[in-house]
């Protein structure tokens, strides 16, 4: 994935600009920066959920798996049904390996409504494995995970990287990925229009 | 696509899924109207086609905001938008699922409620046929309205205001089919117009709805 001179906006207000980086297969990049700097906005833009204000993002088609704050789980479906649905949508059958990898085997028949917050998160992350996609965009993946689960997820990410995948994650918690690069977003914060920055497009929502 | 359809149907059938809500409303309306109107002078039989169609329409309206709002809240809509499935197909499948859990059951129970409303015998076939042809339009138009208000907090009121005018042609021609059929008159013209509305809506609105969702997800 190659990002060149990207500018992103949230609600019509530019938050980041002049951002360029390159993410190659087998590499992980951790986004850092204070709250509100635009980590989520950047990830949503890269996932194709919102248009970039300027710049170019080059990614192979259909290669991005996005994990947001919300896990996209249905409370009245069981763990296995939730996962099978996403596997079917993505046309893969890797449900068993995903259950195994995120330690969810014992919970497969449990309704998602009866899971703890950390278990829900594990299920949400297991979804990444059934997408079969190479580039993972992770938005605070470790929220509500205990230390053991964080380590488990760290090893899942490492296995994904070893298999030729890539990961871009916004996180404040150390996943134990010593090889991951760190990208601090603070220097790319958009300047105010008065200071010569880009003027937000008021009609962005209609563009 | 089959996976999304079966998931939506399963969600509707499980606890809190909202299946039966529209049906119960339809049933209540058809039971209460005869009590309110009273038995005299064949009034009931005359207004039965209109009452049944208005009832079906309002029942459909009840569950519309669930089509996308629930998926938006739990984040599934974001994930579906980044999945290999085109959003247009997501809309079409969700509209179909909505019709299967509201329009189709409504069509099935309508003849029974026709008895309660003293609908003339000649009207029953046309009632079922007109609902079968017309209710898919209600679901597709409703899915379009739901797509427009997805992400709006308590968008239900806005949704009703947006969708009701779009429902008017379906209501007029649907009720007209039953009225004419019950009176033994020619029904081909309203029937064709009703089918035309449904086909047109099903062909065009998934694209409009997908575009609306893309804007609302930003």
């Amino acid at each position: 994935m190659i990002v060149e001179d990207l500018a992103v906006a949230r609600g019509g207000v530019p938050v980041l600009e002049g951002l360029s980086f390159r993410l190659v297969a087998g590499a992980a990049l951790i986004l850092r920066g204070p709250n509100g700097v635009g980590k989520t906005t950047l990830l949503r833009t890269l996932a194709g959920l919102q248009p970039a204000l300027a710049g170019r993002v080059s990614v192979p088609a259909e290669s991005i798996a996005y994990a947001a704050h919300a896990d996209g789980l249905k409370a009245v479906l069981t763990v296995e049904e939730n996962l099978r649905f996403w596997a079917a949508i993505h046309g893969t059958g890797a449900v068993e390996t995903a259950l195994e990898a995120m330690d969810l085997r014992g919970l497969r028949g449990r309704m998602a409504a009866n899971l703890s917050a950390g278990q829900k998160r594990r299920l949400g992350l297991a979804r990444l494995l059934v997408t079969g996609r190479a580039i993972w965009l992770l938005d605070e993946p470790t929220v509500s995970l205990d230390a053991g689960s964080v380590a488990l997820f760290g090893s899942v990410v490492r296995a994904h990287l070893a298999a030729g995948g890539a990961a871009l994650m916004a996180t404040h918690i150390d996943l134990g990925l010593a090889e991951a690069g760190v990208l601090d977003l603070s220097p790319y914060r958009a300047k105010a229009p008065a200071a010569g920055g880009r003027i937000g497009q008021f009609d962005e929502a209609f563009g | 696509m089959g996976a999304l359809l079966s998931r939506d149907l399963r969600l509707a059938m499980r606890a809190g899924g909202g299946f039966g809500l529209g049906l119960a409303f339809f049933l209540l309306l058809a039971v209460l109207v005869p009590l309110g109107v009273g038995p005299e002078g064949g009034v009931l039989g005359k207004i039965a086609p209109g009452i049944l169609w208005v009832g079906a329409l309002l029942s459909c309206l009840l569950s519309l905001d669930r089509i996308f709002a629930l998926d938006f809240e739990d984040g599934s809509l974001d994930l579906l938008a980044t999945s290999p499935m085109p959003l247009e197909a997501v809309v079409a499948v969700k509209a179909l699922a909505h019709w299967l859990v509201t329009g189709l059951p409504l069509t099935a129970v309508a003849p029974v409620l026709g008895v309660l409303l003293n609908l003339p015998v000649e009207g029953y076939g046309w009632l079922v046929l007109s609902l079968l042809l017309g209710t898919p339009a209600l679901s597709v138009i409703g899915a379009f309205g739901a797509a427009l208000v997805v992400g709006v907090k308590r968008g239900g009121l806005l949704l009703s205001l947006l969708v009701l005018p779009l429902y008017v042609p379906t209501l007029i021609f649907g009720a007209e089919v039953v009225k004419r059929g019950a009176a033994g008159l020619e029904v081909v013209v309203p029937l064709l117009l009703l089918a035309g509305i449904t086909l047109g809506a099903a062909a065009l609105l998934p694209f409009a709805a997908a575009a609306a969702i893309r804007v609302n997800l930003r």
Side-chain angles (χ1 to χ4, degrees), chain A residues 59-82:
Chain A
V59 282
E62 310 241 308
S63 62
I64 285 185
Y66 173 56
H69 288 288
D71 290 315
L73 304 176
K74 289 295 175 193
V76 294
L77 296 183
T78 64
V79 168
E80 191 178 350
E81 284 170 337
N82 269 301

Side-chain angles (χ1 to χ4, degrees), chain A residues 62 85-86 88-91 133, chain B residues 1-5 77 79-94 214:
Chain A
E62 310 241 308
F85 166 68
W86 290 111
I89 288 287
H90 286 272
R133 290 188 164 182
Chain B
M1 287 199 196
L4 184 60
L5 183 64
L77 201 56
L79 302 178
L80 280 172
T82 56
S83 79
M85 194 168 166
L87 260 184
E88 289 78 6
V90 170
V91 173
V93 168
K94 285 189 148 291
R214 280 197 191 97

